[in-house]
Amino acid sequence: MEETPHNCPGTGSAQAGRGTACQGCPNQRLCASGAGEGPDPAIEEIKEKMKTVKHKILVLSGKGGVGKSTFSAHLAHALAEDENTQVALLDIDICGPSIPKIMGLEGEQVHQSGSGWSPVFLEDNLGVMSVGFLLSSPDDAVIWRGPKKNGMIKQFLRDVDWGEVDYLIVDTPPGTSDEHLSVVQYLAAARIDGAVIITTPQEVSLQDVRKEISFCHKVKLPIIGVVENMSGFVCPKCKKESQIFPPTTGGAEAMCQDLKIPLLGKVPLDPHIGKSCDEGRSFLVDTPDSPATVAYRSIIQRIQEYCSLHRPEERTSLVPE
Amino acid sequence: AEPGNLAGVRHIILILSGKGGVGKSTISTELALALRHAGKKVGILDVDLCGPSIPRMLQAQGRAVHQCDSGWVPVFVDQEQKVSLMSVGFLLEKPDEAVVWRGPKKNALIKQFVSDVAWGQLDYLVVDTPPGTSDEHMAAVEALRPYSPLGAIVVTTPQAVSVGDVRRELTFCRKTGLRVIGIVENMSGFVCPHCTECTNVFSRGGGEELARHAGVPFLGSVPLDPKLTRSLEEGRDFIQEFPHSPAFHALSAIAQKVLETPAQLS
């Protein structure tokens, strides 16, 4: 599988690597140098690197601010509660890297060793990598165009020494652009278990999420299921429920039924979630009795079940053309 | 004055945030409506290529876009033709189709959008952007630079995770020479419709503190109001329908501050 840019002139053509459509494609340099037919050697290198990673899960949404990073972080926390499970959390949101803050690792720096970059370990069995760790100040802006972002993602996948990992969780930025194409392309040979798609109930989110689902189909990325976040709010004073983000078109439930995709669960809005994230703590641990925590745990269980049932090695190979 | 399709536009405002989902498109739309209610002629340019939300917010989804000699004709969203809109949403054949483009192609489209839309005479052009500090933002700032934008309104929510990203956006503004008109803190508290208790669903205080830390004006806090969310979902005019909503007061105050912001001296 290769997601070629629109109007790709073809790897064998005289315009290979030189056309305007070629800019930003990971194969551009290769094509321009006349090495024509082969894919980016990094794809094979990453395949090798990923041999020690059992399960790979992408957390996606078309929409911003629905809770991808919150979900990714807490998926990592929950899986790592079993000290025999090795978990890796990779944040490929280059412009808005939230994971260091949510994991309570702000200010940590990354170290290089002979075997590559070492992730920042929150626990012995929970390693984290983010561009946030490479920035020296919280005010530093990463003002990069697509090709440079792609290069960073390639490095994250190829040069980070993750070691033996049971679950690699990849948190993504909103949208369907460079970062998403790159992570799918670079992991093409390594096989991704699937994507968890996060949304909120209202149509303005679902609108973008449908596009993300269409992107997944286009690049043949299996979808584990959809999580509807911020699904209802219970007033701490009167305990009555309100819909802050009303599901005017039926919410994720209707969309999932329509598109025949599993709805993994609905998570209500709990003000403690934001607080825990701001303070870099797991809200699953902070507020174990919250309905939000219960919902999260049930969703995470379903994801674990999916991963153990769908072992990547048994799927048909998706060899790049 | 610079020639071209933006020559008739008096003031250009960019709506930015480092963070996704804080309400850029909402604020862009509501600001445009508030300026219209203040008697201004307003255009909205939606350069969020992956997630163009604005057509639906103004009940304009599926509208056809026509070309004239000077370029694309923006779509009028009201009877009086005081609010016009251009969005990549109008160019998609199927609304669920994903725009899966890499940076360079996005840059090219944004340059076109900025220069090839026949806006005519406008008092304000509000430019809505996707989250981040990448291709779309650089392309938009570069393409708009010759027209001396009034500046950027930067949107955040109260919590630290948002503020963390928005600080980087402020650096982007500084580095690209874009003046920050001010910061808007959105989703600032939710008033329970049953008992009127206000809960800080997404924490509190971050926006005002950020404005203080960064030395930029704080334009105001907009509370969470499901009536506003619903209006946007259904493409109705919130400003007209809910003048007693606390969100309305906040949005009007922000619009007033924009009306009072003087153009920068060249």
Side-chain angles (χ1 to χ4, degrees), chain B residues 229-241:
Chain B
T229 315
R230 213 170 253 283
S231 275
L232 289 160
E233 291 274 284
E234 295 164 6
R236 300 198 316 264
D237 187 342
F238 170 78
I239 302 265
Q240 192 149 285
E241 291 189 355

Side-chain angles (χ1 to χ4, degrees), chain B residues 16 117 124 130 157 262:
Chain B
L16 302 175
V117 176
Y124 289 91
T157 52

Side-chain angles (χ1 to χ4, degrees), chain A residues 229-301:
Chain A
N229 214 1
M230 309 196 200
S231 202
F233 170 73
V234 176
C235 177
K237 187 159 180 230
C238 71
K239 310 292 181 201
K240 294 218 176 93
E241 189 173 333
S242 319
Q243 296 283 3
I244 298 185
F245 301 112
T248 53
T249 54
E253 200 154 0
M255 178 188 73
C256 286
Q257 243 164 35
D258 218 19
L259 300 176
K260 302 196 188 10
I261 291 172
L263 176 64
L264 295 173
K266 299 192 202 183
V267 185
L269 243 181
D270 181 341
H272 293 109
I273 300 175
K275 193 157 194 286
S276 293
C277 287
D278 276 0
E279 293 169 16
R281 294 193 316 268
S282 165
F283 84 85
L284 303 173
V285 167
D286 279 357
T287 43
D289 300 320
S290 159
T293 302
V294 173
Y296 254 70
R297 288 203 181 277
S298 147
I299 291 165
I300 289 167
Q301 171 122 347

Side-chain angles (χ1 to χ4, degrees), chain A residues 11 28-29 50 60 71 78 90 100 104 110 134 159 169 175 189 199 206 218 225 239 259 266 284 297 305 313 320:
Chain A
T11 52
Q28 183 188 13
R29 205 182 265 150
M50 290 288 136
L60 303 174
F71 186 83
L90 172 59
V110 157
L134 305 173
D159 300 341
I169 301 157
T199 185
L206 297 175
K218 209 168 173 180
K239 310 292 181 201
L259 300 176
K266 299 192 202 183
L284 303 173
R297 288 203 181 277
E305 282 162 9
E313 295 75 28

Side-chain angles (χ1 to χ4, degrees), chain A residues 30-44:
Chain A
L30 221 47
C31 286
S33 71
E37 268 82 82
D40 188 334
I43 294 176
E44 272 304 305

Side-chain angles (χ1 to χ4, degrees), chain B residues 21 63 119 166 207 235:
Chain B
R63 298 269 295 268
W119 295 107
V166 175

Side-chain angles (χ1 to χ4, degrees), chain B residues 30-187:
Chain B
E30 298 308 322
L31 178 61
L33 291 175
L35 291 170
R36 183 193 76 166
H37 283 289
K40 305 296 177 190
K41 202 153 182 250
V42 189
I44 307 173
L45 178 61
D46 178 2
V47 299
D48 187 340
L49 303 182
C50 298
S53 308
I54 300 199
R56 195 193 166 83
M57 292 180 175
L58 291 165
Q59 222 169 45
Q61 63 270 43
R63 298 269 295 268
V65 159
H66 305 286
Q67 292 252 333
C68 67
D69 285 339
S70 339
W72 282 317
V73 180
V75 170
F76 284 112
V77 303
D78 61 330
Q79 292 234 332
E80 302 82 19
Q81 303 203 332
K82 294 281 193 196
V83 182
S84 53
L85 167 64
M86 178 50 76
S87 166
V88 80
F90 295 137
L91 306 179
L92 297 173
E93 273 180 23
K94 297 176 218 132
D96 295 342
E97 189 183 300
V99 172
V100 187
W101 292 355
R102 288 192 181 275
K105 198 164 175 182
K106 293 197 282 189
N107 292 342
L109 184 65
I110 287 171
K111 280 205 190 89
Q112 262 201 292
F113 258 14
V114 171
S115 56
D116 292 355
V117 176
W119 295 107
Q121 300 295 323
L122 288 179
D123 295 303
Y124 289 91
L125 177 64
V126 177
V127 182
D128 184 29
T129 63
T133 50
S134 190
D135 294 274
E136 298 90 328
H137 312 85
M138 288 189 258
V141 170
E142 283 318 301
L144 292 169
R145 198 186 292 285
Y147 303 97
S148 303
L150 192 64
I153 291 178
V154 182
V155 186
T156 185
T157 52
Q159 78 233 83
V161 169
S162 292
V163 168
D165 282 350
V166 175
R167 289 173 76 162
R168 304 188 198 279
E169 196 74 19
L170 292 174
T171 302
F172 169 84
C173 293
R174 211 181 57 242
K175 285 195 160 162
T176 54
L178 185 58
R179 174 227 244 166
V180 175
I181 298 171
I183 289 181
V184 169
E185 181 184 272
N186 204 13
M187 307 200 196

